[in-house]
Amino acid sequence: MDLNYTPAQQAFRAQVRAWMRENVPGELPDYDTWEGFEAHRAWERKLGDSGWGMVTWPEALGGRGCDLIEWLIFEEEYYAAGAPLRLNQNGIFLLGPTLMEFGTDAQKARFLPRMARCDDMWAQAWSEPGAGSDMAAIRTTAYRDGNHYVINGQKTWSTRARWADWIFGLFRTEQGSQRHHGLSYLLVPLDLPGITVRPIRQLNGLAGFAEIFFDEVRVPVDNRLGDEGEGWAVAMATAGFERGLMLRSPARYQATARRLAALYHAHPDAARRDPALRDRVAAALAATEAYALSTYRTVSQLQAGGRIGPEASTSKIFWSELDLALHEAALAILGKEAELDTPEARRWMEGFMFAQAGPIYAGSNEIQRNIIAERMLGLPR
């Protein structure tokens, strides 16, 4: 792994920085509100129109044809500029790379350009009432009827589904199949007859999640990604992108760690109250840099022809627990003030609002540790 940027990469960084300086909007409303959703979608379309929607995709599919090192550079400049969190991240960071690997040419041409502009907003549909981290327990069925699948069942905890246009997820297409077998990966528009989307309100009163009910919903077979009954393999590729590379770029953590350091220096009383806070802030800064270096190593391996393997589980454990460490350190610095709904507390804490459920979603950390142990011991799965 060469840690020196080439002249071309440095020029690319300058190009991204200049565009962000001219175009990054001011603070947008929360994207779990309709007003905020539309404002974030407008920003995504601006990115897409300039080829920044997903830079690693070919130009013909809405991208810039960049390699993964350039993607990391883009992410660093994006978050350094204070740009908004990506609204369609389930699409561009999870489904998009999966389509690149498993999709037909027709599927890529149909979905990716619209995804890059957020013309189609995507949500994921993995979890069910009896199948959370254990995706192999999925029970929602999709029986074949000619050129369609007919879906019946329920999905829950579907991120961004309240405002989404499409979902991707696993459905049981082989009657009587068990566990990882007989599952297919389907792309489903949410405006089909028989679909009901019910928002799930969070503690803040906003609905960042939804549950989805299917009653004899007819989906074209052409909307299947990969072969019938082979959905588990496709879903594991998506999970690899979620856990190991795309969903949580290190730049996002580096920007948050810098914000944490600024918060610490702005509250000198915190150090007097708890001298150990200095070490916590320093450890967070070091951890974000370690995560960045680890990601650059992974990208170098991929560009040399490798694949993301079980090390994605290690990465997922690391970034999800770093989520918590950054947030908890910020709370400790603010002390009692962090519990108050004041402009000052909101101003400081906004940059730390990562998913506190990180150790649960994308496969709970307990399950990820089991995967690591199985691979280290050579146990059959």
Side-chain angles (χ1 to χ4, degrees), residues 277-293:
L277 279 174
R278 182 173 181 272
D279 291 340
R280 291 176 67 178
V281 173
L285 286 164
T288 58
E289 293 306 311
Y291 180 44
L293 290 171

Side-chain angles (χ1 to χ4, degrees), residues 65-246:
C66 294
D67 63 24
L68 288 172
I69 295 293
E70 290 169 320
W71 171 71
L72 288 171
I73 292 171
F74 170 80
E75 291 284 297
E76 289 168 2
E77 294 302 320
Y78 186 91
Y79 285 104
L85 294 180
R86 301 301 300 271
L87 177 68
N88 204 12
Q89 58 184 346
N90 288 317
I92 58 175
F93 294 145
L94 302 184
L95 178 59
T98 310
L99 272 164
M100 284 293 190
E101 186 169 345
F102 292 93
T104 65
D105 289 342
Q107 288 173 328
K108 293 174 187 177
R110 177 186 178 189
F111 293 116
L112 291 176
R114 293 182 58 82
M115 192 185 297
R117 294 187 72 253
C118 203
D119 290 332
D120 293 328
M121 170 69 182
W122 288 84
Q124 54 179 315
W126 303 126
S127 297
E128 299 181 4
S133 292
D134 183 12
M135 282 203 303
I138 280 172
R139 299 175 63 184
T140 298
T141 60
Y143 67 84
R144 185 77 173 261
D145 182 22
N147 292 325
H148 287 79
Y149 291 106
V150 182
I151 302 176
N152 288 282
Q154 178 187 352
K155 298 289 183 177
T156 192
W157 298 116
S158 183
T159 308
R160 307 274 92 80
R162 184 181 188 184
W163 313 123
D165 303 298
W166 288 74
I167 57 170
F168 58 90
L170 281 179
F171 301 85
R172 195 161 293 282
T173 51
E174 182 181 332
Q175 185 177 2
S177 61
Q178 298 291 324
R179 303 297 294 164
H180 314 83
H181 307 287
L183 297 169
S184 295
Y185 195 116
L186 302 182
L187 313 178
V188 183
L190 286 175
D191 60 354
L192 291 177
I195 291 181
T196 301
V197 178
R198 183 179 299 166
I200 300 174
R201 296 199 177 275
Q202 304 167 130
L203 288 175
N204 64 1
L206 302 178
F209 302 90
E211 51 187 346
I212 307 168
F213 298 88
F214 304 87
D215 182 11
E216 295 290 297
V217 176
R218 297 182 66 85
V219 178
V221 170
D222 287 345
N223 286 18
R224 187 187 68 231
L225 189 56
D227 294 333
E228 183 170 289
E230 298 299 323
W232 184 259
V234 183
M236 289 304 97
T238 305
F241 294 118
E242 183 176 23
R243 297 167 185 163
L245 185 61
M246 288 288 184

